[in-house]
Amino acid sequence: MDIKTLHDADIIGITTAKNAFDTLATAFGQHVENWQTEVVTRLNNSQWTGTAADHANTRMQNLENELKAAKQEIGLVSRALQDAYDGFAAAQSHLISALNDAKTHKLTVADDGGITWDKDPNSPNFAGNDADSQAQQIHARITAALDEADHADQTINARLAHLATNASNGTGLDSATAKTDTDAANALQQAPAAGTDPNSVKAWWNSLTDDQQHRMILNHPDQIGNLDGIPAAARNDANRTNLKNLIQDRQRQLADLGPEPKQYLGYVKGEPVTNPEYEKWKAKHDALKEKLDGFQSIQDRLDGKKDEGAGGPNSDPPLLLLGIGDQGQGRAIVSWGDPDKARNVSSLVPGLNSTMAGVGGGDAMTAKRIYDSAVSSAGKNETPSVASVFWLGYDAPQLDGDSVTAKDRAVAGGADYNKFLAGLRATHEGAPAHMTAQGHSYGSLVVGQATQHPGGLAADDIILVGSPGVGVDKASQLGVGADHVYVGAAKNDPVANAPSPGMIGGWGAFIYEEMNHTGKQSWFGADPASGDFGGQRFSVADGTITDSHDNYFGKHGAGGDSLPNIGKIVSGHGNAITRQDPR
């Protein structure tokens, strides 16, 4: 495809052909109905019986099936032509827009795509000091438009060639063939189901034209934004739309609750009698308000209303919204930098008490500090290339129950985290990224569970900090090699030092239990910081029993070498960490 061909293409002719096939499909459908009424129905109502009648009925049924299949195939030609028009129209529009902008900036675009401009500041046609930058952007847009047209051309050509072959050799008269072709056409307009293999999702996404992808984002933002295997930029676009929808939905539901009922019905012997309607109203109100506050916190972050605009429209690096949803306690995944383009990608799973509101607040800045540390730890001859993800893709345990003592949330979260990283691996551009999976607190158990799925976890390094155990006894069981499992455990961290339930009988009791146990057994299996576990322990400040668990990522400048060590691991320089002896 070249500029002149796409620019001058009369794509209205495609619509004319499409309309002709619509007319043909309608007429053919009428013939099928007439056949059923005038032939099949009359034959079935006749008194004709016997062997000949049985053969005739069988043949008539087969012919009816063939006619229906042919009608489906004719309709599929019409659908393919409509998709062809949409694809070429979008590509042509993008090309014309780029060429018009070139004229606005006084740039001349040749038929072969070369761009020239007047460089004389005294000339009335001077293109300006930013002409080179503008030319590069416009050249990229022209190339993208031509690629888009090529993709549409190849896709539609394959579809029409297949249907033409079916028509010429008779396979299009087969009901099973017609059903397969129809399912394939429908698949172009329906997102794969949640949980579909990310590589299959990526292949489906690549099969769509740019216009089809855009329509999927507009029409199904909740599905596209949370589907592993969809590129990060598309997920971000879809999730930003879905986030606004979720906020509006919660606001509407709160308004629909109506005014707050009276809290008490009266008093009996001086004691208030609670109104049951108030209790129902308050439970619904508080649940909706908690979700709304979480969604709004993330929206405020994306709008640049927090931390001096970090994460806003002009943020450097950009903040991408890779996941958002209202399942369970809520889901939120953000990334500083594009994980599809970065050479080094970190994905942190948080633990106890993590919430959506936190993702929009301090948790987003935790991921940002990891990003900054990894960038600063790049080698002298390296151009830093980092993406730092904060992954709240599961129901993190809260202090209002005993969920933190059980593995069920980690098991469920581990399956989703495994799929998420597989998605990042599938959509990454160029050479595979160096990927680091991080788990903090209970989140380390999520990471541990994620490694136990068939095929392992799509990670090169694993970092476990403040871990109460990861569900395995040896670092070698995590699938990346023991020398690629890094452990940070502050001396006074009550979670990383938590004895197993068999030692003291309850989760809360370890907080005041003196840290004098052997350190070889944690709440969920072997202590990751122990020598028996076999990981690489890096240096972390001791902290205190009240703050050490939150200091691993440099909050308020605390944690000692912890954050710099994490940055080195994320940037691929784990051999440069400062080390600490295992327990």
Side-chain angles (χ1 to χ4, degrees):
M1 186 67 67
D2 57 59
I3 293 176
K4 181 174 176 54
T5 299
L6 180 57
H7 183 275
D8 297 342
D10 181 11
I11 59 176
I12 296 300
I14 301 176
T15 300
T16 302
K18 185 260 183 190
N19 291 339
F21 270 92
D22 284 342
T23 301
L24 176 60
T26 300
F28 194 86
Q30 186 61 55
H31 288 311
V32 174
E33 290 181 13
N34 291 341
W35 164 265
Q36 291 172 320
T37 302
E38 300 299 328
V39 179
V40 178
T41 302
R42 289 189 179 187
L43 185 61
N44 289 337
N45 292 336
S46 71
Q47 302 300 314
W48 186 24
T49 60
T51 302
D54 292 341
H55 284 304
N57 283 326
T58 300
R59 181 64 189 114
M60 292 300 174
Q61 183 61 58
N62 289 340
L63 187 54
E64 180 182 359
N65 292 339
E66 290 174 352
L67 290 173
K68 289 181 178 178
K71 180 178 181 295
Q72 282 184 273
E73 292 279 297
I74 293 172
L76 291 175
V77 174
S78 175
R79 289 176 62 176
L81 290 171
Q82 181 62 57
D83 287 344
Y85 175 82
D86 292 340
F88 287 128
Q92 189 178 63
S93 174
H94 294 155
L95 173 66
I96 292 173
S97 175
L99 294 176
N100 288 340
D101 285 349
K103 289 181 181 179
T104 300
H105 291 284
K106 299 182 179 180
L107 304 175
T108 301
V109 181
D111 288 344
D112 64 358
I115 301 178
T116 58
W117 60 90
D118 192 334
K119 301 180 181 180
D120 182 2
N122 299 315
S123 170
N125 294 319
F126 177 52
N129 295 323
D130 65 341
D132 185 68
S133 174
Q134 293 294 340
Q136 291 181 29
Q137 294 180 33
I138 289 172
H139 182 269
R141 289 167 59 190
I142 291 173
T143 299
L146 295 178
D147 289 344
E148 183 179 0
D150 276 332
H151 180 61
D153 186 38
Q154 293 169 14
T155 301
I156 299 304
N157 179 63
R159 289 173 64 184
L160 291 177
H162 172 74
L163 293 170
T165 299
N166 287 356
S168 63
N169 64 18
T171 55
L173 300 178
D174 176 63
S175 298
T177 297
K179 182 181 184 303
T180 299
D181 291 343
T182 300
D183 290 345
N186 290 340
L188 296 175
Q189 300 172 343
Q190 298 173 357
T196 300
D197 173 69
N199 288 297
S200 297
V201 172
K202 181 60 163 52
W204 166 79
W205 185 254
N206 288 344
S207 74
L208 306 180
T209 65
D210 285 2
D211 184 63
Q212 287 171 326
Q213 292 176 355
H214 181 64
R215 279 182 287 166
M216 289 299 299
I217 290 172
L218 290 178
N219 296 333
H220 308 285
D222 55 332
Q223 293 174 271
I224 298 302
N226 294 293
L227 193 55
D228 298 320
I230 298 294
R235 291 183 71 159
N236 176 62
D237 290 344
N239 283 319
R240 285 173 181 257
T241 296
N242 193 34
L243 176 58
K244 289 181 170 60
N245 293 341
L246 289 168
I247 290 174
Q248 292 174 359
D249 180 65
R250 290 306 177 281
Q251 290 173 335
R252 177 188 59 76
Q253 289 189 56
L254 280 169
D256 288 347
L257 283 179
E260 178 180 332
K262 292 173 56 177
Q263 184 173 0
Y264 302 113
L265 296 176
Y267 291 84
V268 175
K269 297 181 179 180
E271 295 294 327
V273 178
T274 302
N275 180 1
E277 292 304 313
Y278 169 81
E279 294 293 329
K280 293 179 184 177
W281 180 94
K282 188 174 189 326
K284 292 179 180 179
H285 174 275
D286 291 354
L288 289 169
K289 188 65 166 57
E290 183 178 5
K291 287 280 182 71
L292 176 60
D293 289 346
F295 292 138
Q296 190 61 58
S297 174
I298 294 170
Q299 185 64 62
D300 289 345
R301 170 67 62 186
L302 296 173
D303 290 341
K305 296 180 179 179
K306 295 187 175 185
D307 300 303
E308 300 179 350
N314 298 316
S315 177
D316 184 19
L319 183 63
L320 305 184
L321 184 60
L322 301 185
I324 194 72
D326 60 359
Q327 308 96 305
Q329 297 166 190
R331 304 287 187 264
I333 308 170
V334 297
S335 176
W336 297 96
D338 188 343
D340 287 346
K341 301 180 185 300
R343 291 195 309 274
N344 300 286
V345 179
S346 163
S347 300
L348 172 63
V349 183
L352 180 66
N353 271 357
S354 296
T355 64
M356 281 197 302
V359 175
D363 290 338
M365 298 314 295
T366 293
K368 179 62 164 56
R369 288 194 296 273
I370 293 172
Y371 174 92
D372 291 338
S373 179
V375 166
S376 65
S377 66
K380 292 182 179 180
N381 299 320
E382 295 177 354
T383 300
S385 180
V386 178
S388 178
V389 177
F390 191 90
W391 187 88
L392 184 61
Y394 81 116
D395 284 336
Q398 307 293 306
L399 277 179
D400 56 0
D402 60 0
S403 57
V404 74
T405 66
K407 288 176 60 174
D408 56 337
R409 297 192 181 205
V411 171
D416 290 338
Y417 183 64
N418 181 287
K419 193 79 70 176
F420 174 74
L421 290 195
L424 293 188
R425 188 69 88 191
T427 58
H428 193 269
E429 301 172 9
H434 165 250
M435 292 177 59
T436 303
Q438 296 196 55
H440 175 228
S441 188
Y442 188 91
S444 65
L445 179 61
V446 176
V447 172
Q449 295 302 296
T451 67
Q452 301 305 295
H453 287 262
L457 187 62
D460 302 289
D461 290 310
I462 291 175
I463 299 175
L464 311 169
V465 292
S467 175
V470 296
V472 300
D473 293 327
K474 299 287 184 181
S476 59
Q477 295 174 284
L478 296 177
V480 297
D483 55 338
H484 288 277
V485 176
Y486 298 88
V487 181
K491 178 181 179 181
N492 294 316
D493 182 350
V495 177
N497 288 285
S500 67
M503 294 179 66
I504 59 174
W507 173 262
F510 72 79
I511 298 227
Y512 60 80
E513 182 81 4
E514 189 66 32
M515 272 68 94
N516 61 0
H517 60 285
T518 64
K520 293 185 179 180
Q521 192 69 20
S522 282
W523 193 264
F524 298 108
D527 178 2
S530 70
D532 290 342
F533 188 77
Q536 312 297 308
R537 189 178 181 190
F538 57 85
S539 177
V540 175
D542 292 346
T544 69
I545 197 169
T546 57
D547 70 8
S548 56
H549 190 61
D550 292 328
N551 288 344
Y552 293 102
F553 304 105
K555 185 177 180 180
H556 304 310
D561 288 344
S562 182
L563 180 60
N565 282 327
I566 290 172
K568 292 172 184 176
I569 298 165
V570 169
S571 67
H573 299 288
N575 59 335
I577 61 171
T578 57
R579 298 179 180 273
Q580 192 169 2
D581 291 336
R583 287 200 273 248

